[in-house]
């Protein structure tokens, strides 16, 4: 093949690769130009998703109907070998080639005499292969043609890697947009949630200043002001916790000591009696007096139990039941908060531990909250080398289970 012709076809192919066409169009044009130039009738590009046993024909000169076809790599040992060795596979005469023993008959019936496969890759990432099946009348590729095909497969890798990075960029962009949207909703939720106790504090403070109230009424007003300011304090603390987590401060600030999970559960359940009573919810403790040793930060563990319990009560129906179970197994202690409330749709389950995520959004929201509670729960549990799991079905209820390594007091025992 004259050098001039080779340079000319390379120039044409690199020109195609630089055009602002779609990836599919570029690959198709490249295959057509290459196949016509070296005069082979079967030339394709297949893409191979990472670790996949199948490939997809993304461009082909053989038959346009093949495009989009999924091929089983087990039936193409030459492609499999090129993937495994990350190198060019060239078979000058297919008859008698041990690699092709199983497919010999098929190749023969198609009149194929030689094969050429070159991997398309960028650094270590393999995208696919350039794949030529050469029929009798054309013989096998000359060394110049083979090196031309190798150069073309290198050029094509640029098309694949651009597409790959573009897809990654688009995915990241989509994720950033989603997070930014959640953040905007969070800001609007948090201001709304802060305004409610704030108006209540303002209202009761004004009333007790303006009106001459009897001492017991005055006391009631102050108690409401205190309760509402505690609610605000909790919310502000949650916001501060988020920033602590993103600065890695929460981990540094943990003060771990030997605790008894049973006592911590008892203490938190007591705190939630009043809010459960308000909705006529019964809280059933399904654990005994047995000590469940745990080494943890007491305030943070109470925060975990509290956030889960507050959700269980919030998302339960009037008159519902919330169960609290706990136990010890294989040097681990665990507890579950079980409710029979509204449950969580399966499509939302993967996201509920994300910062700012709430199942109901916008104006349709029926429950107060900023979507931060579970995020903090997961972070705290993981900082204690534990895990949190959830099972839920809409209309039936949810079970949140926290498992933590048992404390030192458990050493030697079960
Ligand atoms: N027990 C539950 N039953 C039904 N849905 C739940 C339950 N727990 C959590 N969810 C869903 O998961 C979402 C995230 O929970 P999370 O505790 O993080 O936020 P929140 O309760 O809405 O607000 P916050 O805890 O910040 O006050 C909730 O908004 C709710 O949609
Ligand atoms: Mg919550």
């Amino acid at each position: 093949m004259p050098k001039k012709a080779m340079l000319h076809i390379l120039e044409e192919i690199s020109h195609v690769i630089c055009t602002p066409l779609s990836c599919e169009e570029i690959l198709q044009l490249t295959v057509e130009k290459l196949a016509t130039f070296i005069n082979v009738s079967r030339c394709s590009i297949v893409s191979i998703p990472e670790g996949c046993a199948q490939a997809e024909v993304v461009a082909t000169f053989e038959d346009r109907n093949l495009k989009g076809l999924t091929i089983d790599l087990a039936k193409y040992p030459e492609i499999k070998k090129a993937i495994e060795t990350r190198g060019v596979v060239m078979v000058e005469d297919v008859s008698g080639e041990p690699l092709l023993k199983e497919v010999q008959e098929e190749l023969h019936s198609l009149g194929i005499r030689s094969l050429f496969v070159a991997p398309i890759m960028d650094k270590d990432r393999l995208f696919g292969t350039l794949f030529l099946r050469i029929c009798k009348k054309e013989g096998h590729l000359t060394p110049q043609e083979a090196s031309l095909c190798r150069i073309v497969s290198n050029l094509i890798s640029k098309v694949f890697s651009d597409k790959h990075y573009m897809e990654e960029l688009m995915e990241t962009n989509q994720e950033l947009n989603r997070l930014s949207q959640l953040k905007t909703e969070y800001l609007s939720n948090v201001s709304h949630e802060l305004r409610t106790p704030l108006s209540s504090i303002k209202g009761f403070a004004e009333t007790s200043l303006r009106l001459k109230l009897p001492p017991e009424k005055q006391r009631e007003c102050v108690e409401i002001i205190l309760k509402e300011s505690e609610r605000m304090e909790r919310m502000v603390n949650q916001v501060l916790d988020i920033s602590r987590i993103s600065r890695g401060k929460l981990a540094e600030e943990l003060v771990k000591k030997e605790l008894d999970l049973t006592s911590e559960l008892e203490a938190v359940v007591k705190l939630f009696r009043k809010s459960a009573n308000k909705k006529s919810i019964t809280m059933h403790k399904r654990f005994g007096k047995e000590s469940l040793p745990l080494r943890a930060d007491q305030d943070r563990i109470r925060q975990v139990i509290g956030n889960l319990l507050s959700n269980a009560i919030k998302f339960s129906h009037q008159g519902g039941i919330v169960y609290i179970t706990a136990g010890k197994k294989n040097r681990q202690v665990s507890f579950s908060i079980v409710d029979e409330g509204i449950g969580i749709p399966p499509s939302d389950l993967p996201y509920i531990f994300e910062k700012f995520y709430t199942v109901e959004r916008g104006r349709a929201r029926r429950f107060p909250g900023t979507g931060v509670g579970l995020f903090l729960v997961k972070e705290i549990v993981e900082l204690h080398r534990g895990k949190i799991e959830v099972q839920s079905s809409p209309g039936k209820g949810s079970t949140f289970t926290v498992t933590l390594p048992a404390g030192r007091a458990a050493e030697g025992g079960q």
Side-chain angles (χ1 to χ4, degrees):
M1 182 199 306
K3 256 192 190 151
K4 210 170 155 194
M6 199 152 136
L7 282 175
H8 181 70
I9 186 68
L10 273 176
E11 198 184 330
E12 272 191 24
I13 290 178
S14 27
H15 180 72
V16 166
I17 286 171
C18 294
T19 50
L21 293 170
S22 72
C23 171
E24 286 70 25
E25 287 169 318
I26 291 176
L27 296 177
Q28 185 57 37
L29 276 175
T30 305
V31 155
E32 283 171 12
K33 282 194 181 295
L34 182 68
T36 317
F37 182 75
I38 53 180
N39 195 23
V40 290
S41 55
R42 292 164 187 267
C43 176
S44 307
I45 294 171
V46 298
S47 95
I48 304 158
E50 241 172 346
C52 194
Q54 290 188 321
E56 188 195 340
V57 181
V58 285
T60 179
F61 188 66
E62 310 178 42
D63 174 358
R64 289 242 170 187
N65 290 334
L66 286 180
K67 213 162 145 184
L69 201 79
T70 303
I71 58 171
D72 187 353
L73 291 182
K75 292 188 185 143
Y76 294 83
E78 65 278 28
I79 298 187
K80 242 179 125 187
K81 188 174 173 196
I83 298 170
E84 279 161 14
T85 59
R86 307 265 156 147
V88 169
V89 172
M90 226 166 110
V91 180
E92 291 192 358
D93 185 359
V94 294
S95 59
E97 166 62 46
L99 177 73
L100 305 166
K101 211 167 64 204
E102 312 270 313
V103 287
Q104 203 62 252
E105 237 171 72
E106 190 201 335
L107 294 175
H108 184 75
S109 68
L110 293 169
I112 289 160
R113 201 170 102 189
S114 65
L115 296 169
F116 176 92
V117 187
I120 299 169
M121 48 198 289
D122 179 27
K123 296 187 190 98
D124 281 344
R125 173 86 164 81
L126 182 107
F127 296 113
T129 63
L130 173 68
F131 172 44
L132 277 76
R133 287 179 151 197
I134 301 134
C135 290
K136 274 197 171 82
K137 60 178 172 8
E138 294 135 4
H140 59 78
L141 297 183
T142 64
Q144 290 100 319
E145 285 168 340
S147 68
L148 173 69
C149 290
R150 241 180 256 148
I151 298 171
V152 170
S153 74
N154 286 340
L155 288 174
I156 298 169
S157 74
K158 167 102 181 60
V159 180
F160 274 90
S161 68
D162 281 358
K163 182 172 180 256
H164 175 70
Y165 292 124
M166 189 54 84
E167 281 167 357
E168 265 189 1
L169 208 66
M170 274 163 70
E171 264 175 39
T172 314
N173 200 20
Q174 266 179 358
E175 183 60 8
L176 285 175
N177 280 339
R178 194 178 71 83
L179 290 177
S180 154
Q181 166 105 15
L182 279 181
K183 214 167 186 169
T184 312
E185 278 178 33
Y186 169 72
L187 283 178
S188 125
N189 281 352
V190 95
S191 2
H192 177 77
E193 300 277 320
L194 281 173
R195 220 173 33 204
T196 318
L198 194 59
S199 330
S200 173
I201 291 171
K202 198 163 165 252
F204 281 97
E206 277 171 359
T207 312
S208 59
L209 269 182
R210 245 189 302 121
L211 305 177
K212 269 210 160 314
L213 296 172
E216 68 276 16
K217 287 278 170 209
Q218 185 85 15
R219 193 183 161 79
E220 263 177 37
C221 276
V222 176
E223 271 172 5
I224 293 173
I225 291 173
L226 182 66
K227 205 184 90 217
E228 295 296 312
S229 48
E230 279 169 359
R231 193 169 143 195
M232 283 183 76
E233 191 183 21
R234 265 198 309 276
M235 288 173 63
V236 172
N237 280 343
Q238 281 206 339
V239 177
L240 290 177
D241 277 348
I242 296 178
S243 111
R244 266 195 199 98
I245 287 171
S246 59
R247 287 179 294 128
K249 283 270 170 228
L250 195 72
E252 281 175 26
E253 289 169 9
L254 288 184
V255 183
K256 291 191 186 170
K257 59 178 184 185
E258 292 294 317
L259 301 172
D260 173 19
L261 179 60
T262 314
S263 321
E264 299 311 316
L265 286 167
E266 295 272 10
V268 183
V269 169
K270 212 185 250 175
L271 289 177
F272 279 86
R273 274 260 176 258
K274 230 175 171 177
S275 59
N277 285 344
K278 262 196 203 157
K279 282 179 83 176
S280 310
I281 288 169
T282 320
M283 289 195 287
H284 272 306
K285 286 182 281 176
R286 282 188 167 166
F287 51 90
K289 295 263 171 270
E290 182 204 13
S291 130
L292 301 172
L294 167 74
R295 190 172 164 71
D297 182 308
Q298 187 171 36
D299 289 343
R300 294 299 179 185
I301 284 303
R302 288 192 178 193
Q303 188 178 359
V304 167
I305 304 169
N307 283 1
L308 293 176
L309 215 45
S310 103
N311 282 351
I313 294 170
K314 177 161 65 175
F315 298 108
S316 277
H317 308 290
Q318 189 81 19
I321 305 177
V322 171
Y323 298 95
I324 302 110
T325 67
K328 185 164 69 166
K329 201 178 164 193
N330 302 335
R331 312 194 68 69
Q332 288 183 319
V333 291
S334 67
F335 69 92
S336 298
I337 309 283
V338 187
D339 68 66
E340 297 177 345
I342 63 167
I344 303 163
S347 56
D348 289 287
L349 271 182
Y351 304 106
I352 56 168
F353 295 101
E354 266 186 16
K355 221 180 338 194
F356 315 140
Y357 195 86
T358 55
V359 172
E360 292 183 352
R361 320 258 297 266
R363 284 165 191 274
R365 288 183 73 218
R366 289 172 292 164
F367 306 95
T370 50
V372 169
L374 285 182
F375 167 72
L376 294 176
V377 164
K378 188 163 189 277
E379 290 289 327
I380 296 170
V381 167
E382 286 175 357
L383 285 177
H384 284 83
R385 289 183 294 120
K387 62 171 185 197
I388 176 151
E389 289 158 303
V390 56
Q391 282 176 326
S392 188
S393 62
K396 295 208 173 121
S398 313
T399 300
F400 284 85
T401 303
V402 172
T403 310
L404 295 156
R408 236 182 277 142
E411 272 166 26
Q414 244 296 2

